[in-house]
């Protein structure tokens, strides 16, 4: 399809083509490509829902969560979160009137609360690091078996909490 669109556009390129309608001849009436696509979509859904009685796919709502997909999503979220937090602290802290220890002294949650907070703050960094090592082992073609995937997934999750808890004691 892209090649045929390029041929229709000539040297003007695909970006210029998408901003204007190309007339097509269907039953000797000119219609635009956008109108044609909408008509084809309506025909498709009418055929599937009305004529054939096929329900719309429930997509992700019917699948159970898998460990591998949850770890992958967590890896991405931890990376994005770390980027946002590091950039945020880097931009905000120089503008603050006091240094970080002053604000830490204002928080009165006790030593246990501080330990838990430090563990929770350390965990995404440690998890992202250990899971990144797991991903690098995949780049070397190790650990692709189903048992190995689940074993390494549980190992990464457990080890990341242990290392985060140990790091929070420092």
């Amino acid at each position: 399809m892209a090649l045929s669109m390029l041929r229709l556009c000539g040297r003007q390129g695909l970006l210029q083509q998408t901003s204007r309608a190309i007339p097509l001849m269907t039953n000797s009436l000119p219609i635009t490509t956008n109108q044609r696509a909408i008509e084809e979509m309506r025909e498709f859904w009418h055929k599937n829902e009305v004529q054939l009685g096929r329900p719309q796919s429930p997509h992700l709502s019917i699948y159970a969560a898998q460990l591998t997909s949850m770890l992958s999503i967590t890896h991405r979220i931890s990376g994005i979160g770390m980027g946002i937090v590091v950039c945020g602290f880097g931009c905000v802290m120089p503008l603050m009137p006091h240094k970080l220890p002053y604000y830490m002294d204002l928080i009165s949650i006790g030593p246990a609360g501080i330990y838990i907070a430090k563990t929770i703050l350390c965990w995404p960094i440690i998890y992202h690091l250990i899971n990144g090592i797991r991903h690098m082992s995949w780049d070397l073609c190790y650990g692709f078996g189903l048992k190995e995937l689940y074993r390494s997934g549980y190992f990464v999750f457990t080890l990341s909490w242990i290392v985060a808890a140990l790091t929070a004691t420092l």
Side-chain angles (χ1 to χ4, degrees):
M1 170 112 180
L3 287 175
S4 63
M5 295 303 257
L6 284 172
R7 287 184 189 133
L8 286 173
C9 298
R11 294 180 186 241
Q12 295 175 353
L14 192 57
L15 291 176
Q16 291 178 352
Q17 181 274 328
T18 56
S19 63
R20 60 182 166 79
I22 297 176
L24 298 174
M25 299 303 287
T26 306
N27 298 331
S28 56
L29 293 174
I31 62 170
T32 64
T33 55
N34 191 31
Q35 290 171 335
R36 176 79 176 150
I38 291 171
E39 287 177 12
E40 287 178 3
M41 185 177 62
R42 284 185 183 144
E43 290 173 12
F44 173 81
W45 287 113
H46 178 73
K47 180 184 82 171
N48 278 315
E49 291 177 352
V50 178
Q51 293 175 349
L52 300 176
R54 295 178 180 162
Q56 188 175 8
S57 174
H59 191 49
L60 294 176
S61 63
I62 64 168
Y63 296 108
Q66 297 174 337
L67 176 69
T68 53
S69 62
M70 292 297 110
L71 290 175
S72 176
I73 291 167
T74 305
H75 184 78
R76 293 170 191 199
I77 291 172
S78 67
I80 292 168
M82 284 187 305
I84 291 170
V85 168
V86 168
C87 290
F89 268 106
C91 293
V92 171
M93 286 310 292
L95 303 174
M96 302 298 278
H98 302 287
K99 300 289 184 196
L100 186 61
Y102 171 80
Y103 297 107
M104 291 298 293
D105 289 338
L106 294 177
I107 302 172
S108 59
I109 55 176
I114 290 175
Y115 173 75
I116 291 170
K118 285 170 63 176
T119 303
I120 291 171
L121 289 173
C122 285
W123 182 79
I125 299 165
I126 303 296
Y127 171 78
H128 197 79
L129 172 70
I130 296 172
N131 201 43
I133 294 169
R134 178 178 178 230
H135 277 264
M136 289 191 325
S137 73
W138 292 347
D139 293 340
L140 298 172
C141 299
Y142 293 113
F144 278 121
L146 194 56
K147 285 183 180 179
E148 290 87 10
L149 282 173
Y150 275 86
R151 189 177 304 132
S152 66
Y154 285 121
F155 177 75
V156 163
F157 191 75
T158 305
L159 183 64
S160 64
W161 277 111
I162 292 169
V163 172
L166 292 174
T167 305
T169 60
L170 301 176

